[in-house]
Amino acid sequence: KNEVEQSPQNLTAQEGEFITINCSYSVGISALHWLQQHPGGGIVSLFMLSSGKKKHGRLIATINIQEKHSSLHITASHPRDSAVYICAVGAQKLVFGQGTRLTINP
Amino acid sequence: EAGVAQSPRYKIIEKRQSVAFWCNPISGHATLYWYQQILGQGPKLLIQFQNNGVVDDSQLPKDRFSAERLKGVDSTLKIQPAKLEDSAVYLCASSRTGVEHNEQFFGPGTRLTVL
């Protein structure tokens, strides 16, 4: 079993839909990261959180330390949100999930 | 501030050839990471530097992979000789050091294809 599991692996939705991507982990952590990777490979950090909830624009990330679970939500999804979303846990050394490929159709 | 720079962006080689990748981290970032990301998977840490010293290279295939960060700034990752299974995106990242919850900043990656 992987230390970091994401679900779903692939998600296709229509523009405007509310999106939820889940991440479960089995190791002790000091922080959880949500990353976005567009075609071409570059990775952008979206959130780093160790408790509670963070919001940035249409993106919301939550974490439940007791349940070792985090969710990334996208409200009013748009085709430009299409990307791979990766959950990673740890401090300086990160363990990555396999990613969730999100496709938003117009 | 300028981001993490990597070159080349793309490289195609034949198996058994050698290849080198270059990374220049964000100025002032003491920690530098090299990751290998195989298609459809999350990144896997190959090596982590703190200044010019190696912190973790436990997943680096040392028979063919080498990395250095001689002056504690930019870094090179070399593969010699390359195998088909080395086809992947090689990501460099950097972070400040000494503080927990360090955020890592990623470069654009180098996509390697081994034929």
Side-chain angles (χ1 to χ4, degrees), chain A residues 7-71:
Chain A
S7 62
Q9 289 194 356
N10 294 282
L11 178 57
T12 300
Q14 290 300 122
E15 182 174 357
E17 287 190 36
F18 181 81
I19 303 298
T20 296
I21 300 171
N22 297 299
C23 175
S24 297
Y25 53 92
S26 57
V27 295
I29 69 168
S30 58
L32 182 143
H33 301 250
W34 280 103
L35 311 166
Q36 181 190 58
Q37 187 171 33
H38 279 283
I43 290 178
V44 173
S45 178
L46 299 175
F47 294 103
M48 181 173 63
L49 65 165
S50 55
S51 64
K53 174 180 172 178
K54 285 190 176 181
K55 184 176 188 293
H56 181 67
R58 295 180 294 107
L59 301 177
I60 303 166
T62 63
I63 188 169
N64 184 318
I65 297 292
Q66 287 74 29
E67 295 186 4
K68 295 189 174 180
H69 180 269
S70 174
S71 293

Side-chain angles (χ1 to χ4, degrees), chain A residues 30 37 45 48 92-93 97, chain B residues 33 37 56 101-104:
Chain A
S30 58
Q37 187 171 33
S45 178
M48 181 173 63
Q92 287 212 5
K93 179 175 179 177
Chain B
Y33 312 80
Q37 186 179 22
D56 184 345
H101 300 187
N102 269 337
E103 182 176 4
Q104 293 188 24

Side-chain angles (χ1 to χ4, degrees), chain B residues 25-85:
Chain B
I26 291 174
S27 177
H29 282 194
T31 309
L32 184 147
Y33 312 80
W34 282 104
Y35 294 94
Q36 180 193 58
Q37 186 179 22
I38 293 172
L39 185 65
Q41 299 180 18
K44 180 186 82 171
L45 179 68
L46 292 175
I47 189 167
Q48 176 184 343
F49 290 96
Q50 180 83 2
N51 296 307
N52 60 348
V54 176
V55 174
D56 184 345
D57 63 356
S58 57
Q59 298 195 85
L60 187 74
K62 297 180 186 64
D63 58 332
R64 297 184 301 106
F65 286 64
S66 65
E68 59 184 16
R69 194 185 183 200
L70 293 176
K71 297 182 179 179
V73 181
D74 55 353
S75 174
T76 55
L77 175 70
K78 297 180 182 178
I79 308 175
Q80 180 181 12
K83 292 185 175 181
L84 296 177
E85 59 260 37

